[in-house]
Amino acid sequence: MTQPSSTEHQRPTLFAFWTAALAVASSCGATAAWAQTTYPVTPQQRATAQQTAQAGVPLSELSPKAPDEYTVKPGDTLWAISRLYLLRPWRWPELWGMNINDIQDPHRIYPGQVLYLDKSGGRARLTTRRGAAGGDGGTIKLSPRTRFDSLAGMALPTLNPSLIEPFLSEPIVVDANTLDAAPRIVAGNDSRVLLSRGDRAYARGNAESPLVEKPGPVQHYRIFRSATPLKDPGTGEILGYEAQYLGKAQLQRGESTTIETTGDKDVITVVPASIDIIASREEMRAGDRLLPEPPRQLLSYAPRAPSTQVDGRIISVYGNAVQYAAQNQVVAINKGTRDGVDNGHVLAILKNGETILDRTGARKETIKLPNERIGLLMVFRTFEKVSYALVLEINDTPRAGDFLVNP
């Protein structure tokens, strides 16, 4: 039997991406490991894929500028591509169909892939081949070729990882007593008052929990200062305390004691632990607190609208004395896991309308301007009562006190 001169290959019928591609390690410098990791499809993700596969979105949801054909480029993000096609980009799982029998790992889309917009049947879908709708899944012929470029680490993220990666390990929300009970820096080497990367410092724990070496890998700590109360703008409730991240330290020698005999008395002297500052965002000093470096976690984000009603507020803009938020800046919000808020939830920002005095009528009257929608943000790190979110897009300047609602 004569063999064909080219290879026959059954092409997947629909584009194989529906869930989040952004997975970042919860410590700085872990991007390479993230980029080369394959993330399994969870049962919940697979169930959602089965429900939305081939459904598409109404044509009314398409952006007027949605191209019929688009070639994925290096530097693209899934959010940007979704924004190119959709008026509401968080609905992209419905836009991108998925053949889950042929595609075992839907967490990958690579530069060079060509996306085609199918508008048949009154619904819009993205596919990886022309005329996919109504087709038989078709067999196409591919000429043999050699691929030289490795795809490792080239998969597109949902968002630019550098925007939120530092915040997965830097800011934390703690209760009132956490920092007070944590080990503290007591001095710097050579009488240094301000410490930075490369300096040696000395630290102590409390009497019940001294700072000592433990079996296993070298112990690393994050250094914090002055926990700032995060207060609900509406109720005044203190939702937690945001600890200011300063840097990282490595424990070199644990805390100990020595006994010296003076006359007929034995005097016990405390010898503090030795730590080396291995990373610094700001200069450190005596009194700053140490918390253990948490284990790395690989988190997957699927931007989506919350399934329940959200009525929240922006508490603060991350950073010292920052009042207004810009695009791609991080804010703290007054909703957390107790409120059903989860990583990936997209919320609309409503500008808190000013209260003004109307002088135009027969008598002066106090009025409140309406709350106007000015942008979107995405939650990426949750605590019990507070979450951190990334401002995705704005047409005005968000600030603390602005409202958050379902998009």
Side-chain angles (χ1 to χ4, degrees):
M1 183 175 181
T2 304
Q3 297 293 326
S5 59
S6 61
T7 303
E8 291 190 346
H9 176 68
Q10 184 72 27
R11 175 178 277 179
T13 58
L14 291 173
F15 186 57
F17 198 101
W18 74 274
T19 189
L22 176 61
V24 289
S26 64
S27 60
C28 298
T31 306
W34 151 70
Q36 299 178 9
T37 305
T38 299
Y39 299 92
V41 184
T42 67
Q44 182 180 2
Q45 290 172 340
R46 186 170 295 276
T48 303
Q50 291 169 335
Q51 292 172 6
T52 61
Q54 304 183 30
V57 297
L59 296 182
S60 59
E61 290 286 337
L62 282 182
S63 167
K65 299 181 180 180
D68 292 330
E69 178 180 326
Y70 181 78
T71 301
V72 180
K73 304 185 297 293
D76 275 339
T77 62
L78 289 168
W79 182 265
I81 294 175
S82 300
R83 200 73 184 92
L84 179 66
Y85 279 96
L86 291 171
L87 295 176
R88 298 191 291 175
W90 59 90
R91 292 193 65 178
W92 58 264
E94 300 165 56
L95 178 67
W96 275 309
M98 169 181 166
N99 186 332
I100 59 176
N101 293 322
D102 293 336
I103 307 299
Q104 298 302 315
D105 181 8
H107 293 267
R108 299 297 183 193
I109 172 177
Y110 298 98
Q113 287 184 314
V114 182
L115 311 180
Y116 300 101
L117 182 61
D118 166 30
K119 302 179 183 178
S120 62
R123 309 285 289 187
R125 304 172 185 83
L126 275 183
T127 78
T128 51
R129 67 187 178 99
R130 291 184 191 273
D136 57 2
T139 299
I140 62 169
K141 293 186 178 182
L142 302 175
S143 300
R145 62 178 180 172
T146 302
R147 182 183 293 273
F148 294 98
D149 294 333
S150 170
L151 292 178
M154 293 178 61
L156 295 191
T158 302
L159 302 167
N160 184 344
S162 65
L163 297 178
I164 66 174
E165 183 177 289
F167 295 93
L168 295 175
S169 60
E170 291 187 3
I172 61 166
V173 176
V174 297
D175 59 36
N177 300 319
T178 297
L179 286 190
D180 290 340
R184 64 195 183 279
I185 295 177
V186 295
N189 195 25
D190 297 328
S191 300
R192 291 181 183 270
V193 176
L194 299 178
L195 306 167
S196 60
R197 182 179 176 182
D199 289 337
R200 170 153 290 194
Y202 304 102
R204 293 185 61 188
N206 55 42
E208 295 75 23
S209 181
L211 186 57
V212 296
E213 295 178 82
K214 300 177 182 177
V218 175
Q219 294 162 241
H220 290 86
Y221 292 84
R222 294 180 294 168
I223 304 173
F224 296 93
R225 178 187 301 154
S226 60
T228 304
L230 296 174
K231 186 178 294 187
D232 190 305
T235 65
E237 177 190 3
I238 294 180
L239 304 174
Y241 293 82
E242 182 181 74
Q244 179 186 355
Y245 172 84
L246 303 175
K248 295 182 181 180
Q250 179 175 297
L251 180 63
Q252 298 297 335
R253 184 177 58 250
E255 191 175 346
S256 62
T257 59
T258 61
I259 300 177
E260 297 180 0
T261 302
T262 302
D264 58 350
K265 294 183 178 180
D266 291 336
V267 178
I268 300 177
T269 303
V270 174
V271 179
S274 298
I275 60 172
D276 285 340
I277 309 300
I278 59 174
S280 62
R281 180 174 177 180
E282 296 185 22
E283 290 181 314
M284 289 147 259
R285 60 176 183 255
D288 291 338
R289 302 287 173 159
L290 282 67
L291 292 177
E293 179 79 10
R296 289 183 176 180
Q297 296 178 341
L298 295 175
L299 303 176
S300 180
Y301 298 94
R304 64 199 185 278
S307 57
T308 58
Q309 195 67 28
V310 174
D311 181 16
R313 304 281 291 271
I314 294 177
I315 301 175
S316 63
V317 181
Y318 186 75
N320 293 333
V322 178
Q323 184 177 7
Y324 294 94
Q327 188 165 324
N328 296 329
Q329 198 158 2
V330 171
V331 298
I333 69 173
N334 67 339
K335 297 295 178 182
T337 54
R338 72 169 183 177
D339 308 293
V341 170
D342 196 8
N343 293 332
H345 278 172
V346 175
L347 299 172
I349 307 170
L350 301 183
K351 183 177 182 178
N352 189 4
E354 291 183 78
T355 299
I356 63 172
L357 184 64
D358 180 11
R359 304 174 184 269
T360 62
R363 60 187 179 85
K364 297 178 182 180
E365 188 176 2
T366 299
I367 62 174
K368 185 180 185 303
L369 300 182
N371 299 330
E372 299 286 355
R373 177 167 169 160
I374 60 172
L376 294 170
L377 56 74
M378 187 196 80
V379 174
F380 67 86
R381 191 178 186 200
T382 58
F383 298 88
E384 182 186 3
K385 303 176 184 179
V386 176
S387 297
Y388 287 111
L390 179 72
V391 177
L392 297 173
E393 50 191 59
I394 53 174
N395 53 38
D396 202 340
T397 308
R399 59 180 297 176
D402 283 347
F403 295 92
L404 302 170
V405 297
N406 295 56

